[in-house]
Amino acid sequence: MSSENADAGREHEEPVWDVVVVGAGPAGASAAYAAAVAGRRVLLLEKAEIPRYKTCGGGIIGPSRDALPPGFELPLMDRVYAVTFSLGGKLSRTRRSKQMLFGLINRPEFDAGLVEAAQKAGAEVRTGVTVARVEQHGSAVPDRRTVAVVLSGGETVLAHAVVGADGSASRIGAHVGVKLDQVDLGLEAEIPVPATVAEDWAGRVLIDWGPIPGSYGWVFPKGETLTVGVISARGDGAATKRYLEEFIARLGLAGFEPAVSSGHLTRCRSDDSPLSRGRVLVCGDAAGLLEPWTREGISFALRSGRLAGEWAVRIAESQDAVDARRQALNYAFAIKAGLGVEMGVGRRMLALFERRPGLLHAAITGFRPAWKMFARITRGSTTLAETVRTHPMAQRALNAVDSASLGRGAADRGATADRGSSSVSP
């Protein structure tokens, strides 16, 4: 935000911002940038000081790159040209590409760069502040065009539209009523290694299809540090931790002390989960928006954040609840028509992967067209949804899983009905 506008706002006891964004990760910074570029008065709130560490592999695929602000320079730690795939540590095979597949970043620098881009576009940033709640009715709200953002210290910030981008444990998401149908636990270690070890990994990542249904592990090289992590469905944290420990040991990295060890829950929204309430929108992790199979979230955060910022501007301009509701519905439609379709295919891919991880491993390592699909998806020249739609073999595989799931569901319902009948029989 320009200093002139900031001074003008301070002339009033309680200035009303056009848009307040809560959370300064990729989703929030993108929302703030989009709203500020439109010339609106934007305030970006973040509870931590920037830069700050986030548990994240840090892979920047094509859709992420394409959603960045114009002129944004990626702080790449490495460029990936090769992927080694393994199945539970076995059947390893490396696939290589002449073109870069994707880039690797550290989140502190990446997020700080996005926040700086939002500031340069005109947004004002406040760090070290925690949002306690938002109110759309009551004494703190002066009129029906305004939302009150109440900070933990008691201060109230007023806005004509609010974007919640405050992560997977979002308070704004709770206000909106976000519903989740998939929660996964990711564990990660940042392991400094000698230069000789780092050289072995330069330009190459490892993806290991794990022992727990739906799980996988990764090694992402970033200079003289390797980001090593695993992810699986929440419910058996001990098994996920054991997978990470065994994975690190198998790689010969157990002798190196991690600089950071961390964990994080990823959450996917259910199909009927709301994306707005009144003049409040949610995006990114706060909305449960990420790819269900790979749990890739950066591209979903950037893209949904940009859309949220654009539609928040329209909501801020709305003079009544009816028009605000119309704009919020348009935002939801835009999300579901793009990211929602990708999530739907991702769910089907996860179901296939849970049932037949060996099949996917064999396809991607031994069937050249499958590897080419993977490469095109990571580069951003196509999407997972488009790939499934245009390739009959992929469609047949997913249809087979869908049929098996329906059959299993019918059997489960039949067993439930039988148990119910026996319970009331004389």
Side-chain angles (χ1 to χ4, degrees):
M1 178 178 175
S2 67
S3 58
E4 292 83 2
N5 286 342
D7 293 338
R10 295 188 189 100
E11 293 175 1
H12 300 86
E13 185 175 344
E14 290 187 357
V16 180
W17 298 87
D18 292 319
V19 178
V20 168
V21 181
V22 182
S30 294
Y33 175 86
V37 162
R40 300 302 182 267
R41 300 181 66 250
V42 180
L43 176 63
L44 177 58
L45 302 175
E46 168 58 43
K47 65 180 180 181
E49 297 299 331
I50 297 173
R52 77 281 189 267
Y53 179 80
K54 286 286 185 180
T55 303
C56 179
I60 301 297
I61 60 176
S64 298
R65 182 197 62 237
D66 296 341
L68 293 169
F72 185 89
E73 293 188 12
L74 277 168
L76 292 181
M77 303 300 297
D78 204 346
R79 292 170 170 81
V80 177
Y81 289 87
V83 182
T84 297
F85 297 95
S86 62
L87 182 63
K90 301 175 182 178
L91 304 174
S92 295
R93 183 169 184 181
T94 299
R95 285 288 198 175
R96 301 185 184 277
S97 171
K98 293 181 180 180
Q99 295 177 276
M100 186 180 84
L101 296 167
F102 56 95
L104 299 173
I105 52 92
N106 284 324
R107 281 289 300 275
E109 293 80 9
F110 178 67
D111 290 12
L114 291 172
V115 171
E116 182 180 357
Q119 286 179 298
K120 288 181 178 178
E124 182 171 314
V125 178
R126 288 181 60 183
T127 59
V129 293
T130 300
V131 172
R133 64 186 184 278
V134 293
E135 297 180 3
Q136 301 195 63
H137 307 282
S139 59
V141 184
D143 56 62
R144 294 185 178 182
R145 287 193 62 224
T146 306
V147 180
V149 180
V150 182
L151 308 184
S152 59
E155 178 187 353
T156 297
V157 178
L158 301 178
H160 291 309
V162 171
V163 175
D166 48 336
S168 61
S170 171
R171 292 189 177 182
I172 311 302
H175 172 80
V176 168
V178 172
K179 296 186 289 185
L180 309 165
D181 65 3
Q182 178 185 328
V183 182
D184 296 284
L185 171 63
L187 300 177
E188 195 168 74
E190 303 283 355
I191 305 178
V193 295
T196 52
V197 176
E199 288 172 4
D200 291 338
W201 286 97
R204 176 176 66 94
V205 303
L206 168 65
I207 297 176
D208 177 70
W209 312 120
I212 307 167
S215 69
Y216 73 95
W218 63 87
V219 179
F220 285 179
K222 299 171 184 176
E224 295 190 353
T225 296
L226 299 179
T227 298
V228 183
V230 301
I231 194 164
S232 67
R234 183 183 66 172
D236 193 344
T240 306
K241 183 179 179 181
R242 189 161 54 250
Y243 176 28
L244 177 61
E245 291 171 348
E246 292 173 352
F247 186 44
I248 290 174
R250 187 196 312 148
L251 294 167
L253 301 173
F256 303 113
E257 185 69 23
V260 179
S261 294
S262 61
H264 178 66
L265 292 177
T266 65
R267 298 174 168 92
C268 287
R269 68 186 296 272
S270 58
D271 284 336
D272 62 344
S273 179
L275 291 162
S276 67
R277 178 180 175 184
R279 291 177 174 267
V280 179
L281 305 178
V282 285
C283 60
D285 285 346
L289 292 167
L290 72 159
E291 201 280 289
W293 174 33
T294 63
R295 289 80 156 186
E296 190 278 322
I298 293 178
S299 75
F300 279 68
L302 292 169
R303 290 181 286 171
S304 65
R306 184 189 67 227
L307 289 170
E310 293 170 353
W311 289 106
V313 167
R314 294 174 172 85
I315 289 173
E317 295 170 345
S318 300
Q319 297 301 311
D320 54 50
V322 173
D323 189 41
R325 176 61 177 164
R326 182 183 302 114
Q327 303 305 334
L329 288 174
N330 287 337
Y331 166 68
F333 178 80
I335 290 290
K336 292 175 182 178
L339 300 180
V341 172
E342 293 182 35
M343 288 185 71
V345 175
R347 287 190 182 94
R348 297 172 70 195
M349 285 296 299
L350 177 61
L352 174 60
F353 175 52
E354 288 174 336
R355 289 170 59 85
R356 301 290 299 276
L359 176 63
L360 279 171
H361 180 71
I364 205 166
T365 59
F367 186 52
R368 189 166 182 79
W371 162 248
K372 287 185 176 180
M373 291 179 203
F374 175 90
R376 294 185 68 226
I377 290 169
T378 58
R379 292 194 194 105
S381 57
T382 189
T383 65
L384 182 59
E386 180 67 13
T387 297
V388 170
R389 189 182 70 82
T390 57
H391 288 78
M393 185 175 295
Q395 187 64 255
R396 284 197 296 272
L398 292 185
N399 287 340
V401 173
D402 291 344
S403 298
S405 297
L406 286 172
R408 191 168 60 252
D412 291 343
R413 288 191 295 273
T416 300
D418 289 343
R419 287 194 298 272
S421 297
S422 63
S423 66
V424 296
S425 296

